[in-house]
Amino acid sequence: MSKLGSKIGKRLGSRLSLPLIFSFAVFLIFLVTVIVTGLLFYLADVFGLINEQIIMDGTLVPLLILISCIIIGTAISAFSSRKMVRSIRTFIDATDRLASGDFSMRLQLTSPPEFRILSENFNRMAEELGGIEILRTDFVNNFSHEFKTPIVSIKGFAEMLKHDDLPKEERDEYLDIVIEESARLAALASNVLELSKIETQSILTDKRRFNAGEQIRQCVLLLAAKFEKKQLTLNADIHDYELEGNKELLNQVWLNLLDNAIKFTPEGGEISIHMKKQTAGIIVIFRDNGAGISGEALPKVFDKFYQQDTSHSTAGNGLGLTIVSTIVNLHGGTITCDSILSQGTAFTVTLPAAT
């Protein structure tokens, strides 16, 4: 209760501080105006500037006092409001620079407390907008690269296929490349559409209970040919735990994580799948002994189109893990990535168990 009381007190204090400051400022202006006006009339009386005839006149003295208060009060108000106006102009200039695209702009207003809060919120907004701008630029660059590369490749090999004197072996090789690049382009378009559809979902649809362990076993069978091709060893500790969610979407999670593990595990390597149930829910860990991910790249693995291989020579378009993360979050779960260079990578998915 004491913590709650202190929080409420701080909120009330922050809300009341600016009105109190303004009220105190107005009071000071009135007080100083009255004192200065009284002092001027006292000096005028001492030096004989005010005679008895002026004092006896019932309208002249009040009029002089009123005019003096207006002039003095206006001067004091104009002088005292300069700091407040300066802070507002600083804020206006900052928002103008921010609107012009300068996301490095930061405010350092300290008083009154509302202006300090305004500065903190403005700085946080500028930082978020800067991050979004970087993501947007990276997205456009990566998408352009991923989209343009197969098109250029298809165009180049299609032009070469027009030559009548091309040997059959080369023609077949070029046709295989065109087919492969076409499939890559189709996969990119499908992934972008799938990600767009998932990101627009705020409510999970088609929820049902199902056996998550059995679903993961089926995913392993679907990718069995890839396991055999690279002669990979699979260590599976899979249990018949039940989940409640969209079965088709979660199927994409397991397939993506398994396919990634196969892709980045060297021939003869090892992949493990471990399931366990805790109070947090059902935990599924996919681990490989591949090349691993660098510390700089680790925070970006779930970003759109991000690939650690900057040459983009590795198969894929950098959308798989983004789709996985979005689906897991949509189910109220979490996904984390732990990796050590030259030792391997582990993806840990935590999902609420079926109630």
Side-chain angles (χ1 to χ4, degrees):
M1 289 296 291
S2 59
K3 290 183 178 179
L4 180 62
S6 63
K7 286 183 179 179
I8 294 173
K10 287 181 180 178
R11 288 182 180 178
L12 287 173
S14 63
R15 290 181 179 179
L16 293 174
S17 57
L18 193 59
L20 285 175
I21 288 172
F22 274 120
S23 300
F24 185 67
V26 172
F27 170 74
L28 280 181
I29 290 171
F30 277 126
L31 182 63
V32 172
T33 301
V34 171
I35 292 172
V36 171
T37 304
L39 182 61
L40 287 176
F41 271 87
Y42 173 75
L43 292 174
D45 184 49
V46 169
F47 290 103
L49 298 177
I50 300 178
N51 53 35
E52 190 175 339
Q53 184 179 358
I54 295 175
I55 296 174
M56 292 298 294
D57 191 340
T59 59
L60 189 58
V61 172
L63 183 62
L64 289 174
I65 293 174
L66 179 62
I67 294 172
S68 302
C69 286
I70 291 173
I71 296 172
I72 295 170
T74 302
I76 295 172
S77 299
F79 179 78
S80 60
S81 63
R82 287 179 61 186
K83 184 179 181 181
M84 187 73 72
V85 172
R86 192 185 305 119
S87 298
I88 294 173
R89 284 177 179 169
T90 302
F91 179 70
I92 292 172
D93 292 340
T95 53
D96 185 52
R97 288 177 59 180
L98 189 68
S100 301
D102 182 8
F103 301 116
S104 63
M105 183 63 198
R106 297 292 184 270
L107 282 176
Q108 302 297 333
L109 304 177
T110 55
S111 62
E114 280 77 4
F115 278 25
R116 177 177 52 80
I117 296 171
L118 180 67
S119 294
E120 292 172 356
N121 292 340
F122 178 89
N123 294 340
R124 188 165 65 250
M125 177 181 67
E127 188 175 348
E128 290 293 329
L129 287 173
I132 292 171
E133 177 65 17
I134 292 171
L135 285 176
R136 186 191 68 81
T137 304
D138 289 345
F139 176 84
V140 171
N141 291 338
N142 287 318
F143 182 80
S144 300
H145 184 280
E146 293 294 339
F147 201 77
K148 180 182 178 182
T149 301
I151 291 177
V152 172
S153 182
I154 291 169
K155 178 177 179 295
F157 285 107
E159 289 176 348
M160 295 179 70
L161 286 168
K162 291 178 66 177
H163 298 293
D164 297 330
D165 56 345
L166 198 66
K168 185 180 183 305
E169 293 79 10
E170 288 189 28
R171 186 180 298 274
D172 291 341
E173 181 184 353
Y174 295 159
L175 283 171
D176 288 339
I177 294 173
V178 169
I179 293 170
E180 183 181 339
E181 291 299 305
S182 300
R184 180 181 168 189
L185 198 58
L188 173 62
S190 299
N191 283 338
V192 170
L193 289 173
E194 182 67 27
L195 181 60
S196 177
K197 183 177 72 174
I198 295 170
E199 284 185 328
T200 56
Q201 285 187 241
S202 57
I203 300 174
L204 191 63
T205 58
D206 196 18
K207 290 177 65 176
R208 52 177 164 160
R209 290 169 66 102
F210 63 93
N211 189 327
E214 183 59 30
Q215 186 183 49
I216 293 174
R217 293 188 193 100
Q218 291 174 4
C219 292
V220 172
L221 290 175
L222 284 173
L223 299 173
K226 291 188 176 183
F227 274 96
E228 292 176 5
K229 185 178 180 181
K230 297 186 74 173
Q231 299 178 347
L232 301 175
T233 303
L234 175 64
N235 292 325
D237 180 22
I238 301 174
H239 304 279
D240 291 324
Y241 296 143
E242 285 197 335
L243 288 174
E244 187 173 0
N246 188 303
K247 189 175 181 180
E248 286 70 28
L249 289 179
L250 286 174
N251 197 60
Q252 290 188 54
V253 171
W254 316 133
L255 284 173
N256 266 301
L257 293 176
L258 266 175
D259 192 51
N260 258 13
I262 294 170
K263 187 189 305 178
F264 295 105
T265 301
E267 288 192 15
E270 182 179 299
I271 293 174
S272 68
I273 305 172
H274 181 65
M275 290 182 72
K276 57 184 177 180
K277 184 181 284 188
Q278 293 182 348
T279 53
I282 292 173
I283 298 173
V284 188
I285 303 172
F286 295 84
R287 190 183 303 275
D288 64 65
N289 63 348
I293 303 171
S294 66
E296 295 79 15
L298 203 56
K300 306 175 185 177
V301 292
F302 298 110
D303 292 350
K304 293 178 185 177
F305 292 106
Y306 179 77
Q307 295 184 61
Q308 185 177 355
D309 178 16
T310 53
S311 65
H312 296 263
S313 60
T314 307
N317 47 49
L319 282 177
L321 288 178
T322 308
I323 292 174
V324 166
S325 176
T326 306
I327 293 173
V328 171
N329 291 333
L330 192 60
H331 281 78
T334 60
I335 180 169
T336 58
C337 178
D338 300 297
S339 185
I340 301 175
L341 279 177
S342 305
Q343 294 187 28
T345 303
F347 285 92
T348 303
V349 179
T350 304
L351 291 167
T355 55

